[in-house]
Amino acid sequence: MYLLRNTLRPYAWGSTTAIAELFGREPSGEPEAELWIGAHPGAPSALVPPVDGSETLDELIAADPELMLGADAAGRFGSELPFLAKILAAGAPLSLQVHPTPEQARAGYAAEEEAGVDRGARERNYKDGNSKPEMIFALTPFEALCGFRNPEEAADLFRAVNAAVTASGREVPELLEWIVAELSSGRPAPARLQSVFRTLINDGESVRGAVELAAAAAAKVPENGGYAREMSTLAELNGYYPGDPGVLISLLLNRASLQPGDAVYLPAGNVHAYLSGLGVEVMASSDNVLRGGLTPKHIDVPELLRTVDFRPLGIPYLAAEDTGAGQQVFRPPFEEFALQRLELAQGPAGSAGAALPAELPVLQHGPAVVIAVRGTIVLTSPAGSLALEAGDSAFLPAFEAPVTARLAADSAQHDDGALAFAVTVGTVPAGEADAPRLDIGA
């Protein structure tokens, strides 16, 4: 097992306090958006201390992929760790974005490579040939936009916006009237949603004017008014991204309000944006993001429209699976990763009222990473032991399985025990990976 030192990404949307508070340290005073735990080439975790000439996790794996990943994972994913874990702290909304399917990623990457588009270019869409499915587990109340809602529901929201515009003494723009009519047209749901999305994302002065007018009217809707939360979000998003078409696109999307312990998964084609909160994010190790608004960054509209799944979906919540070994595992329909929640205590009942174990086996399909977020745990393998305090993390190579996590003596003295998360390779067959579910409209 290998102790890791991870990179903290200071993106502007990051909270300045959430990650520091989680790990019980002083804030840096700067945005702390994401803590990356893994071997992604953009910020690979460092080995503490270096091992046999390898200073980072990606170098360690590349030196002997089959030993570190196991024969199965190495055969499926080559010499790369197929997942990346993050602690994500959104203090402000992230961009609307969508991720490609494996086929789209391979084709897009090959086309841009052949065209000679620099990998660091602003207009580059595909940084690699991998898809990027992901999931988020909420550590605090967490707000997100996630997938398209039923068009009739979206029409009701736009009617409420138009009513707010009228109440403010302004004339409702033709664009907003057209959106209500289009969403209510009775055509197949994906066609209606695509039509409105396409019109908004192509931007233009009429869109910008409608965004500003709608946001100003929404800001005046009282807290006990109709669709108060959506109206508040509309005004808030326009404050961050004035006139951005993503402000109105947000009304087409489901609003997911997660409580601590809730999780959602995000397959290819799912338009989403994180709005606020702290969580454990897990994804396939890829940089492929196509943005769809709420951003000053490049938006490739034609490629975006080819990538988006316009079918209305229910919020793709992900329930925990309790194994016979007492493990709490989240298995999204992706082959790259699965997440395990490890809550340990000595005697007292847990937050859900059930007695918690003082020791648990770590789920491991080949390699795994573990990060402690509360208390101290001790990882034990046939090769030795490693203690992790809050904020510490470790890489568990395939050859050291099986590994158990137990409560350290100092944490056993406290009622809140310890909490950690482990990420390992998923077990979903490739043919079933990324399969969209919860279709609610035709």
Side-chain angles (χ1 to χ4, degrees), residues 50-434:
V51 178
D52 297 332
S54 297
E55 296 191 356
T56 57
L57 183 54
D58 57 336
E59 294 175 355
L60 178 72
I61 293 171
D64 195 335
E66 188 163 325
L67 181 69
M68 293 294 161
L69 304 181
D72 178 68
R76 291 158 63 193
F77 303 106
S79 61
E80 298 179 355
L81 189 67
F83 55 79
L84 174 65
K86 299 179 181 180
I87 302 296
L88 182 146
L94 283 67
S95 63
L96 285 171
Q97 55 189 259
V98 65
H99 306 302
T101 64
E103 296 76 19
Q104 289 168 332
R106 287 192 291 269
Y109 178 72
E112 290 185 330
E113 287 288 284
E114 184 177 353
V117 182
D118 188 277
R119 293 182 189 179
R122 183 176 185 270
E123 68 274 15
R124 179 92 187 207
N125 292 318
Y126 296 97
K127 307 297 176 63
D128 52 65
N130 300 322
S131 60
K132 193 187 177 188
E134 58 189 52
M135 66 166 288
I136 189 82
F137 175 97
L139 293 171
T140 67
F142 196 98
E143 297 292 326
L145 302 171
C146 176
F148 287 101
R149 63 172 77 234
N150 188 292
E152 283 76 17
E153 294 177 11
D156 287 342
L157 277 173
F158 277 96
R159 287 190 186 95
V161 169
N162 293 352
V165 171
T166 300
S168 71
R170 303 292 298 275
E171 183 177 350
V172 177
E174 289 184 10
L175 174 63
L176 295 181
E177 295 280 18
W178 172 83
I179 288 174
V180 171
E182 179 66 6
L183 291 172
S184 308
S185 68
R187 296 198 299 143
R192 286 180 272 166
L193 292 164
Q194 182 181 38
S195 175
V196 174
F197 184 94
R198 182 192 298 270
T199 298
L200 291 174
I201 199 62
N202 276 299
D203 208 347
E205 288 305 312
S206 64
V207 173
R208 291 184 174 274
V211 170
E212 296 284 4
L213 191 58
K220 298 177 182 178
V221 173
E223 292 185 2
N224 60 351
Y227 299 108
R229 183 179 64 170
E230 288 80 3
M231 296 298 168
S232 175
T233 298
L234 195 71
E236 181 183 358
L237 291 176
N238 192 62
Y240 285 108
Y241 306 101
D244 191 293
V247 174
L248 288 178
I249 289 172
S250 72
L251 297 178
L252 300 175
L253 304 177
N254 295 304
R255 177 64 172 265
S257 296
L258 308 183
Q259 295 304 308
D262 290 343
V264 295
Y265 68 92
L266 304 166
N270 181 294
V271 179
H272 60 277
Y274 299 144
L275 302 178
S276 64
L278 178 69
V280 179
E281 185 183 35
V282 190
M283 62 185 61
S285 189
S286 171
D287 270 337
N288 289 329
V289 175
L290 290 157
R291 292 178 173 83
L294 306 181
T295 180
K297 295 183 179 180
H298 174 65
I299 298 178
D300 184 336
V301 173
E303 190 66 18
L304 175 71
L305 292 173
R306 282 192 289 268
T307 307
V308 172
D309 183 349
F310 287 99
R311 290 175 295 176
L313 300 175
I315 297 172
Y317 290 109
L318 186 61
E321 171 189 323
D322 291 316
T323 70
Q327 300 160 311
Q328 188 181 52
V329 181
F330 295 84
R331 301 183 194 269
F334 314 134
E335 63 174 339
E336 293 89 348
F337 61 84
L339 174 71
Q340 179 185 5
R341 181 177 180 271
L342 296 154
E343 188 171 13
L344 305 171
Q346 188 68 49
S351 57
L356 295 173
E359 183 173 312
L360 277 173
V362 176
L363 180 71
Q364 209 172 338
H365 300 128
V369 296
V370 176
I371 181 164
V373 299
R374 187 182 72 228
T376 304
I377 65 169
V378 177
L379 301 174
T380 302
S381 79
S385 297
L386 179 65
L388 300 181
E389 299 179 349
D392 290 342
S393 62
F395 173 67
L396 282 52
F399 74 85
E400 280 201 61
V403 175
T404 59
R406 62 177 172 82
L407 193 66
D410 58 346
S411 291
Q413 301 171 14
H414 302 287
D415 288 344
D416 55 359
L419 178 64
F421 292 87
V423 181
T424 191
V425 177
T427 57
V428 176
E432 298 177 17
D434 215 28

Side-chain angles (χ1 to χ4, degrees), residues 26-58:
E26 287 297 315
S28 66
E30 301 295 326
E32 298 179 354
E34 295 178 345
L35 183 71
W36 288 25
I37 308 108
H40 189 285
S45 298
L47 301 170
V48 184
V51 178
D52 297 332
S54 297
E55 296 191 356
T56 57
L57 183 54
D58 57 336

